């Protein structure tokens, strides 16, 4: 059944919650009460879904009994899991041992996501932050690690390993969504589309997180040029926005996080384009800095207001286009019948 504006699954990212507890312990090893405290905050902001971002907790590394505990905590807060996001664990890391470990972790995460009843696992090819990125005010002010351009052997390895993850996901009834991120093989629309097409599985698509690209302190294409080519392949969507400015006198770029309705990306237009392209996947609201969860809740409400307007308009346009096509086909058929 198609989603409505009010029941469209829009999850909160957990980027703003640290992977360590107040006493310095690991959230991974913490009792369920620690998980419950965080998820209670998510539910209290009005969310019905959460993106289990693994910078906070790694479902793929939980033993079965602990995974069951997580499921119970989620249920106690009436939270569904819109997706499980694997971050900075590239399956083509230059260190072969790390890359193989990351693949094994991704496969475990797919299995855990199926157990939790979600529909999507999101992964990417971005790698851990460099020292310079960790020291910067905002990590995107410094360049990160990059995939080797033009290296067909590494490209083929990415295709092989992500296809394996996609096949594992398909067996569990899941989608695998690949997150766009700068300087990786998912860093441009052309490369991202090529990667998905080379993988060649119907359940493997893209997460067009173009916020990762418009925040860069360098020239980037207009946001619509980044988004349009990938929309036919989109099956999940991290949404966030940034203020962006450029000083031609100094050549300096300036970007900081913004709420969805206030940044350089026009999400009213972006959502319309996505709906016309047939997008029906879950959405995850993200935000860096300040009260990230509060801004995510504000962004969710904005998206629902836009969906309330755009969904009926899209349905009407689709029905009109279908009726026009049907009428044209009938006219053509009648013309053929009338020919001697």
């Amino acid at each position: 059944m198609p989603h409505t504006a009010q029941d469209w699954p829009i999850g909160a990212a957990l980027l703003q919650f640290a992977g360590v507890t107040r006493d310095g312990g690991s959230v991974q090893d913490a009792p369920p009460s620690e998980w419950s405290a965080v998820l209670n905050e998510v539910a209290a902001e009005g969310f019905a879904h959460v993106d289990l971002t693994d910078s906070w907790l790694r479902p793929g590394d939980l033993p079965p009994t602990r995974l069951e505990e997580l499921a119970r905590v989620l249920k106690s807060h009436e939270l569904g899991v819109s997706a499980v996001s694997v971050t900075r664990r590239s399956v083509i890391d230059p260190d072969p041992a790390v890359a193989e470990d990351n693949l094994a972790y991704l496969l475990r995460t797919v299995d855990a996501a199926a157990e939790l009843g979600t529909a999507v696992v999101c992964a990417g090819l971005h790698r851990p932050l460099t020292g310079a990125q960790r020291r910067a005010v905002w990590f995107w002010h410094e360049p990160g690690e990059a995939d080797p351009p033009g290296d067909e052997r590494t490209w083929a390895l990415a295709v092989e390993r992500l296809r394996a993850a996609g096949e594992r996901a398909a067996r569990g009834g899941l989608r695998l969504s690949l997150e766009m991120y700068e300087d990786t093989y998912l860093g441009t629309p052309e490369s991202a589309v090529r990667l998905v097409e080379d993988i060649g599985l119907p359940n493997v698509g893209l997460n067009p997180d173009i916020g990762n690209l418009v925040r860069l302190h360098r020239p980037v294409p207009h946001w619509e040029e980044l988004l349009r080519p990938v929309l036919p392949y989109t099956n999940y969507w991290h949404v966030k926005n940034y203020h962006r400015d450029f000083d031609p006198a100094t050549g300096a770029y300036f970007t900081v996080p913004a709420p969805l309705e206030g940044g350089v990306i026009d999400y009213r237009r972006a959502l319309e384009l996505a709906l016309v392209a047939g997008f029906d996947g879950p959405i995850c609201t993200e935000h860096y800095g300040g009260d990230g969860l509060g801004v995510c809740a504000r962004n969710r409400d904005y998206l629902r207001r836009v969906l309330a307007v755009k969904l009926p308009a899209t349905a009407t346009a689709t029905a009109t286009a279908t009726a026009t096509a049907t009428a044209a086909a009938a006219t053509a058929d009648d013309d053929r019948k009338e020919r001697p």
Side-chain angles (χ1 to χ4, degrees):
M1 180 177 294
H3 299 306
T4 68
Q6 289 309 308
D7 69 14
W8 198 294
I10 301 176
L14 300 179
L15 297 170
Q16 58 275 3
F17 294 103
V20 295
T21 61
R22 289 193 184 101
D23 60 6
S26 169
V27 168
Q28 195 73 16
D29 302 324
S33 58
E34 289 279 352
W35 304 344
S36 181
V38 168
L39 295 173
N40 180 58
E41 290 194 48
V42 173
E45 285 293 337
F47 281 98
H49 291 85
V50 62
D51 178 309
L52 286 176
T53 317
D54 71 350
S55 56
W56 176 66
L57 178 69
R58 303 185 306 279
D61 282 343
L62 291 174
T65 55
R66 294 278 280 165
L67 195 62
E68 290 172 4
E69 289 176 333
L70 175 59
R72 285 195 291 271
V73 172
L74 288 161
K75 185 176 180 179
S76 72
H77 294 291
E78 299 182 337
L79 284 171
V81 180
S82 52
V84 178
S85 285
V86 173
T87 58
R88 303 192 180 282
R89 299 287 294 262
S90 174
V91 297
I92 52 170
D93 190 280
D95 184 325
V98 171
E100 290 178 7
D101 181 66
N102 288 347
L103 174 60
Y105 169 69
L106 176 55
L107 296 176
R108 292 196 305 275
T109 300
V110 168
D111 293 342
E115 289 294 323
L116 290 171
T118 187
V120 178
V121 170
C122 179
L125 296 174
H126 40 307
R127 308 215 295 271
L129 298 175
T130 66
Q133 286 180 309
R134 288 193 297 271
R135 290 188 295 271
V137 175
W138 300 108
F139 65 83
W140 55 87
H141 289 186
E142 296 288 343
E145 304 287 359
D147 289 340
D151 186 334
E152 290 302 320
R153 184 174 180 179
T154 303
W155 178 277
L157 185 62
V159 170
E160 174 190 330
R161 289 181 167 175
L162 292 173
R163 183 184 291 138
E167 290 170 344
R168 183 77 151 255
R171 290 196 290 273
L174 304 175
R175 302 175 183 180
L176 178 66
S177 192
L178 306 179
E179 180 178 354
M180 294 182 70
Y181 200 94
E182 79 269 11
D183 300 328
T184 71
Y185 292 150
L186 293 159
T188 67
E190 297 77 17
S191 182
V193 166
R194 180 192 165 199
L195 187 62
V196 168
E197 290 184 340
D198 283 2
I199 292 168
L201 296 175
N203 68 314
V204 177
L206 293 173
N207 166 9
D209 190 348
I210 58 173
N212 290 337
L213 306 179
V214 303
R215 69 189 177 193
L216 299 175
H217 282 199
R218 64 195 194 204
V220 296
H222 186 273
W223 68 264
E224 199 165 329
E225 295 176 40
L226 296 171
L227 186 62
R228 276 183 175 275
V230 301
L231 286 177
Y233 304 85
T234 297
N235 59 4
Y236 184 53
W237 199 359
H238 286 172
V239 294
K240 56 181 177 281
N241 215 344
Y242 293 85
H243 295 296
R244 180 178 173 87
D245 199 7
F246 173 67
D247 181 4
T250 63
Y253 289 89
F254 170 84
T255 61
V256 293
L260 285 191
E261 58 191 313
V264 68
I265 303 169
D266 177 0
Y267 273 99
R268 186 175 295 271
R269 171 67 173 158
L271 198 52
E272 177 183 347
L273 293 172
L275 294 173
V276 169
F279 172 64
D280 64 354
I283 299 171
C284 170
T285 58
E286 295 185 324
H287 186 80
Y288 288 98
D291 179 6
L293 180 60
V295 177
C296 284
R298 173 181 168 183
N299 289 342
R300 175 206 61 220
D301 294 344
Y302 163 74
L303 290 173
R304 294 209 189 281
R305 292 198 308 272
V306 174
L307 284 167
V309 175
K310 298 297 183 181
L311 279 172
T314 302
T316 299
T318 301
T320 300
T322 301
T324 301
T326 301
T331 299
D333 189 52
D334 289 342
D335 288 345
R336 284 193 296 271
K337 290 176 180 177
E338 292 174 4
R339 289 173 191 161

